[in-house]
Amino acid sequence: MNIIPVITLDGPGGVGKGTLGRLLAHDLGWHLLDSGAIYRALALAARRAGLHADDEAALSDLARALPLSFRGAVDQTHVLLGAEVVDAAIRSPEISALTSQIAALPTVRAALLQRQRDFRQAPGLVADGRDMGTVVFPDATLKVFLTASAEVRGKRRLNQLMEQGSSANLATVVAEIAERDARDQQRSVAPLRPASDARLLDTSEQSVSDTYRVLQSWVQAVLQEN
Ligand code: DC
C-alpha cells in the first residue's frame, strides 16, 4: 500500500473543489492534482488536431503522448501544453462540453490513469476531480464528495467566466452544467458518484471559508489518526 497520504475532493462542476483544493494543498504544503485540467487540455489538443469526440483510438494515443505540464505554486498553477499556457483556452464553454464527451471514453480514462497517480508524491497530495476517490486513489486517506445545487454552481461558474472576460448568461451556464452533470453521472466508466467511504459536504448554503473550516477539521482528525 502506498503510504503517501492523499485527500480526494470529488463532485460536479462549480461545486468549489478547485478553490478548496488549492487552499488545502497550500496550507498543508502538499501537491495538487487538478485532474479536470488534464481532461480539458486533452480536449483542447484534440480540437486543434481536428479529432472527433468519438475517435477513441486516436484520442487515447493523443492522451498518452500529451505534452502536458503544470507550473507554479499550488495556489497559482498554470497549465501548459508544450510551451503554451492554456489556462483560459481550456475553460471555454466549447472545450468544457467537448471535455465531458471525451472523458466518457474508457480507453482515454485508462490512458490518463498512471499520469494522475504519478502526482502522489511526498509529503502528500490533494486530488480534485470526479473519480479520485472511486478509481484513481481508492486507498485515499480521506475522501470528500462535494455537492451544491445546479443554480448555485451555475452562479459560481458564471462569475469565473466573467472574471475571464467572457460573456455568458446564467440560464445558459446552468443548462450547460446540467448537461455535463448528466453525462458525467451516466457514463459507464468512472461515473460521477461518491465513493462508499466518502464524506458528503454540501456547499450550497455555505461560504468558501465555512466549507473550508469543515474540511480542515476532517483533515486534521484523519491525519492525527494516521
Ligand atoms: O472539474 P472540471 O470542470 O475541470 O472537469 C472538466 C470535465 O472533465 C468534466 O466534464 C468532467 C471531466 N472529468 C472527469 O471525467 N474526471 C475527472 N477526474 C475530472 C474531470
Side-chain angles (χ1 to χ4, degrees), residues 2-3 20 28 35-36 53 84 89 96 98 107 127 135-136 152 168 190 195 201 210 224:
N2 193 327
I3 50 153
L20 294 165
L28 292 169
S35 59
E84 181 190 354
S96 298
L98 181 61
T107 57
V135 175
V136 183
V152 166
L201 187 49
D210 290 342
Q224 270 162 17

Coordinates of all heavy atoms in Angstrom, one line a residue, residues 2-3 20 28 35-36 53 84 89 96 98 107 127 135-136 152 168 190 195 201 210 224:
N2 N 0.5 2.2 -0.8 CA 1.2 3.5 -0.9 C 0.9 4.3 0.4 O -0.2 4.5 0.8 CB 0.7 4.3 -2.1 CG 1.6 5.4 -2.4 OD1 2.2 6.0 -1.5 ND2 1.7 5.7 -3.7
I3 N 2.0 4.7 1.1 CA 1.8 5.3 2.4 C 1.8 6.9 2.3 O 1.5 7.5 3.2 CB 2.9 4.9 3.4 CG1 4.2 5.1 2.8 CG2 2.6 3.5 4.0 CD1 5.3 5.3 3.9
L20 N -11.2 24.9 -2.9 CA -10.9 24.2 -1.7 C -9.6 23.4 -1.8 O -8.8 23.4 -0.9 CB -12.1 23.3 -1.3 CG -13.4 24.1 -0.9 CD1 -14.6 23.1 -0.9 CD2 -13.3 24.8 0.4
L28 N -1.4 22.7 3.7 CA -0.7 21.5 4.1 C 0.7 21.4 3.5 O 1.6 20.7 4.0 CB -1.5 20.2 3.6 CG -2.8 20.0 4.3 CD1 -3.5 18.9 3.5 CD2 -2.6 19.6 5.7
S35 N -7.4 17.2 -11.8 CA -7.5 16.2 -12.9 C -8.4 16.7 -14.0 O -8.2 16.3 -15.2 CB -8.0 14.9 -12.3 OG -9.3 15.1 -11.7
G36 N -9.3 17.6 -13.7 CA -10.1 18.1 -14.8 C -9.3 18.9 -15.8 O -9.6 18.9 -17.0
A53 N -14.9 13.6 -31.4 CA -15.1 13.2 -30.0 C -15.4 11.7 -29.9 O -15.3 11.1 -28.8 CB -16.3 14.0 -29.4
E84 N 3.1 26.4 -24.3 CA 2.0 27.4 -24.3 C 1.1 27.3 -23.1 O 0.6 26.2 -22.7 CB 1.1 27.1 -25.6 CG -0.1 28.0 -25.7 CD -1.1 27.6 -26.8 OE1 -0.8 26.6 -27.5 OE2 -2.1 28.2 -26.9
A89 N -7.8 29.0 -22.4 CA -8.4 28.2 -23.5 C -9.1 26.9 -23.1 O -10.1 26.5 -23.7 CB -7.2 27.9 -24.5
S96 N -15.3 22.9 -22.5 CA -15.9 22.2 -21.4 C -16.8 21.1 -21.9 O -16.8 20.0 -21.4 CB -16.7 23.2 -20.5 OG -15.8 24.2 -20.0
L98 N -16.8 19.6 -24.9 CA -16.0 18.6 -25.5 C -15.3 17.7 -24.5 O -15.2 16.5 -24.6 CB -15.0 19.2 -26.5 CG -14.1 18.2 -27.3 CD1 -15.0 17.3 -28.2 CD2 -13.1 19.0 -28.1
T107 N -11.0 4.0 -22.9 CA -9.6 3.9 -23.1 C -8.9 5.2 -22.9 O -7.7 5.2 -22.6 CB -9.3 3.3 -24.5 OG1 -9.9 4.2 -25.5 CG2 -9.8 1.9 -24.7
A127 N -6.2 15.8 -4.4 CA -6.6 15.4 -5.7 C -8.1 15.8 -6.0 O -8.9 15.3 -5.3 CB -6.4 13.9 -6.0
V135 N -11.8 5.6 -8.3 CA -10.9 4.9 -9.2 C -9.4 5.2 -9.1 O -8.6 4.3 -9.1 CB -11.4 5.2 -10.7 CG1 -10.5 4.5 -11.7 CG2 -12.8 4.8 -10.9
V136 N -9.1 6.5 -9.1 CA -7.7 6.8 -9.2 C -6.9 6.6 -7.9 O -5.8 6.0 -7.8 CB -7.5 8.3 -9.6 CG1 -6.0 8.6 -9.8 CG2 -8.2 8.5 -11.0
V152 N -26.7 27.3 -7.7 CA -25.6 27.8 -7.0 C -24.3 27.6 -7.8 O -23.5 28.5 -8.0 CB -25.4 27.2 -5.6 CG1 -24.1 27.5 -5.0 CG2 -26.6 27.7 -4.7
A168 N -21.5 35.6 -20.8 CA -22.4 34.4 -20.8 C -23.6 34.8 -20.0 O -23.6 35.8 -19.3 CB -21.7 33.2 -20.1
A190 N -16.2 5.0 -14.6 CA -15.9 6.0 -13.6 C -16.9 7.1 -13.6 O -16.6 8.3 -13.7 CB -14.5 6.6 -13.9
A195 N -17.6 7.8 -3.5 CA -17.1 6.5 -3.1 C -18.0 6.1 -1.8 O -18.5 6.9 -1.1 CB -15.6 6.6 -2.7
L201 N -20.3 16.7 1.6 CA -20.2 18.1 2.1 C -21.0 18.9 1.1 O -20.6 19.1 -0.1 CB -18.7 18.5 2.1 CG -18.4 19.8 2.7 CD1 -19.0 20.1 4.1 CD2 -16.8 20.0 2.9
D210 N -16.5 28.9 5.4 CA -17.2 28.0 6.3 C -17.0 26.5 5.8 O -16.7 25.7 6.6 CB -18.7 28.2 6.2 CG -19.1 29.5 6.9 OD1 -18.3 30.0 7.7 OD2 -20.2 30.0 6.6
Q224 N -4.4 13.0 12.2 CA -3.9 12.6 13.6 C -4.1 11.1 13.8 O -3.3 10.5 14.5 CB -4.8 13.4 14.6 CG -4.1 14.7 15.0 CD -5.0 15.7 15.7 OE1 -6.1 15.3 16.1 NE2 -4.7 16.9 15.7

